[in-house]
Amino acid sequence: MSDKKKVAVILSGCGVYDGSEIHEATLTLLALDMHGAKAVAAAPDIVQAKVVNHAIGKEMPGENRNVLIESARIARGDIRQVSELDVDELDAAILPGGFGAAINLSDFATAGADVRVERTVSDFLGRMHLAKKPIAALCIAPPILARVLKDAGVEGAKLTIGNDPSAAAGINAIGQEHVACPADSFVADQDNLIVSCPCYMLAEGIAELWKGIEATVVRLLEMV
Amino acid sequence: MSDKKKVAVILSGCGVYDGSEIHEATLTLLALDMHGAKAVAAAPDIVQAKVVNHAIGKEMPGENRNVLIESARIARGDIRQVSELDVDELDAAILPGGFGAAINLSDFATAGADVRVERTVSDFLGRMHLAKKPIAALCIAPPILARVLKDAGVEGAKLTIGNDPSAAAGINAIGQEHVACPADSFVADQDNLIVSCPCYMLAEGIAELWKGIEATVVRLLEMV
């Protein structure tokens, strides 16, 4: 048995407009490997809310794709269903961003503060929180964490999505506390064992993105 | 006008089994940005040779996807057709790997040493070579470069795909010279202005992959 820390990476598809943001997900895997942790990629086995042609930014009508199958592209085939994750075998979890976090893993894009989280993701994160295992959320994924913590009775947890007013208002309306943060840094809430980072909500390039993600992953691993 | 070096990143889809290897493509973008160069992502506007379900590693019958449209996922929408690239405006080019290089950008997977390169990619790389602009090829992409150089009358150019015997034999049979190389290093041929790196042909993890890609990109930029 390896004594590496095991970190679930919860994906939401493959592409910034309808799934996981590919750079955020890939650099999360890089930071975990570079800092001695083992990534355990997972996604829910559900149909994507939509499929977007990323070359022109428009929905592809009639196209259907599965979140688990498309997420497997980022994980090079090494992926499992979120419902199969064993909290006892994991040390932490991280949610990369991309619009998939707001339309597949949750309905934050349309429901805002009334956001509901996909059942298996909600169950898994709720159990991780109960087991006092740290969780990180990048970019537009923090509202998922805001809802899961609220459902667990936590209020006032500190989270960031950078400085976007409407997303920040959504987090505050759920009952948590949005904290403004630059792209190359993160917000850590040690009491609630959560870390968040604005990533491409603010980052102007992939090198800046990397600084924020590496710092976030290092902080997450420190919380284990 | 920016005085950044501009580097074309030629993509072949989005996923290791039917397109560009996502980690290789993303880390190429990271290395370029980190070392002060500007990436110009491009792909041919052609139908993918096949679509693979990456969760189970099997072809999805009846599924059709376009190389340009899927590549745009990696480029966050900022992509153009290879046929639209202007050699005069570019300083270098790089080809990430993934099976798309061997089935979409070329037919190396089935034709071996008789490999033919997709017309717009062949034209573009041929013009870059004539203009003495350096080109890098990662993972399974070097046979493309072997063919383009051969078509330009070059023989004995040094290239690596790591140490895979059949792919190495293919490169040698085209008339170039395969050189064995570990995953965290690269093979540079200064006379022919080419660099190549084994990447996931050999790398056992993404942190090791990053070492090879960063070193390759730094060497490519030195050749400009």
Side-chain angles (χ1 to χ4, degrees), chain A residues 152-166:
Chain A
V154 175
E155 293 196 352
K158 291 180 176 61
L159 285 162
T160 190
I161 43 81
N163 56 17
D164 181 72
S166 79

Side-chain angles (χ1 to χ4, degrees), chain A residues 34-224:
Chain A
M34 203 179 264
H35 293 282
K38 179 176 164 53
V40 178
D45 185 12
I46 56 173
V47 174
Q48 288 185 194
K50 61 181 175 179
V51 179
V52 174
N53 175 328
H54 281 57
I56 57 172
K58 290 191 179 158
E59 194 168 344
M60 298 169 89
E63 186 88 1
N64 282 293
R65 297 191 187 178
N66 176 288
V67 173
L68 178 70
I69 292 173
E70 298 309 316
S71 297
R73 295 178 174 274
I74 294 174
R76 296 166 49 80
D78 187 10
I79 197 157
R80 63 189 75 178
Q81 292 186 38
V82 171
S83 60
E84 293 170 344
L85 290 173
D86 183 348
V87 168
D88 293 339
E89 289 180 358
L90 292 164
D91 298 294
I94 186 164
L95 298 149
F99 212 55
I103 60 172
N104 296 326
L105 300 191
S106 78
D107 59 2
F108 183 70
T110 48
D114 296 322
V115 57
R116 287 178 305 180
V117 178
E118 191 277 335
R119 186 181 53 81
T120 65
V121 172
S122 177
D123 284 357
F124 168 69
L125 293 176
R127 285 183 287 124
M128 289 292 282
H129 170 74
L130 270 178
K132 298 196 186 306
K133 307 213 170 173
I135 306 171
L138 311 181
C139 190
I140 194 64
I144 293 174
L145 216 41
R147 168 60 60 203
V148 168
L149 289 173
K150 171 77 172 182
D151 288 348
V154 175
E155 293 196 352
K158 291 180 176 61
L159 285 162
T160 190
I161 43 81
N163 56 17
D164 181 72
S166 79
I171 285 174
N172 290 335
I174 293 167
Q176 314 304 352
E177 180 188 345
H178 182 267
V179 180
C181 176
D184 59 356
S185 188
F186 59 83
V187 169
D189 181 333
Q190 181 69 39
D191 290 345
N192 293 302
L193 295 175
I194 55 174
V195 199
S196 50
C197 174
C199 288
Y200 272 136
M201 294 294 286
L202 288 180
E204 289 184 1
I206 189 170
E208 187 179 18
L209 180 76
W210 168 240
K211 288 181 191 172
I213 289 180
E214 188 183 23
T216 300
V217 165
V218 167
R219 188 70 186 86
L220 177 73
L221 294 175
E222 285 171 357
M223 281 185 174
V224 172

Side-chain angles (χ1 to χ4, degrees), chain B residues 24-91:
Chain B
E24 292 176 5
T26 300
L27 299 190
T28 294
L29 299 175
L30 177 61
L32 288 170
D33 192 24
M34 202 179 267
H35 293 281
K38 179 176 165 51
V40 178
D45 184 12
I46 57 174
V47 174
Q48 287 186 196
K50 60 181 175 180
V51 179
V52 174
N53 175 327
H54 282 56
I56 58 172
K58 290 190 179 159
E59 194 168 344
M60 298 169 90
E63 186 88 2
N64 282 294
R65 297 190 188 179
N66 175 288
V67 173
L68 178 71
I69 292 173
E70 298 309 318
S71 297
R73 294 178 175 273
I74 294 174
R76 296 166 49 80
D78 186 10
I79 197 158
R80 61 187 78 177
Q81 292 186 37
V82 171
S83 60
E84 294 170 346
L85 291 174
D86 183 348
V87 169
D88 292 339
E89 290 181 358
L90 292 164
D91 298 295

Side-chain angles (χ1 to χ4, degrees), chain B residues 5 8 23 34 45 48 86 110 114-115 124 154 156 165-166 175 219:
Chain B
K5 293 172 183 170
H23 302 184
M34 202 179 267
D45 184 12
Q48 287 186 196
D86 183 348
T110 49
D114 296 322
V115 57
F124 168 69
V154 174
S166 79
R219 188 71 187 85

Side-chain angles (χ1 to χ4, degrees), chain B residues 204-222:
Chain B
E204 289 183 3
I206 190 170
E208 188 180 16
L209 179 76
W210 167 241
K211 289 182 190 172
I213 289 179
E214 187 182 25
T216 300
V217 165
V218 167
R219 188 71 187 85
L220 178 72
L221 295 174
E222 285 172 357

Side-chain angles (χ1 to χ4, degrees), chain B residues 104-117:
Chain B
N104 296 327
L105 300 190
S106 78
D107 59 2
F108 184 71
T110 49
D114 296 322
V115 57
R116 287 179 305 181
V117 178

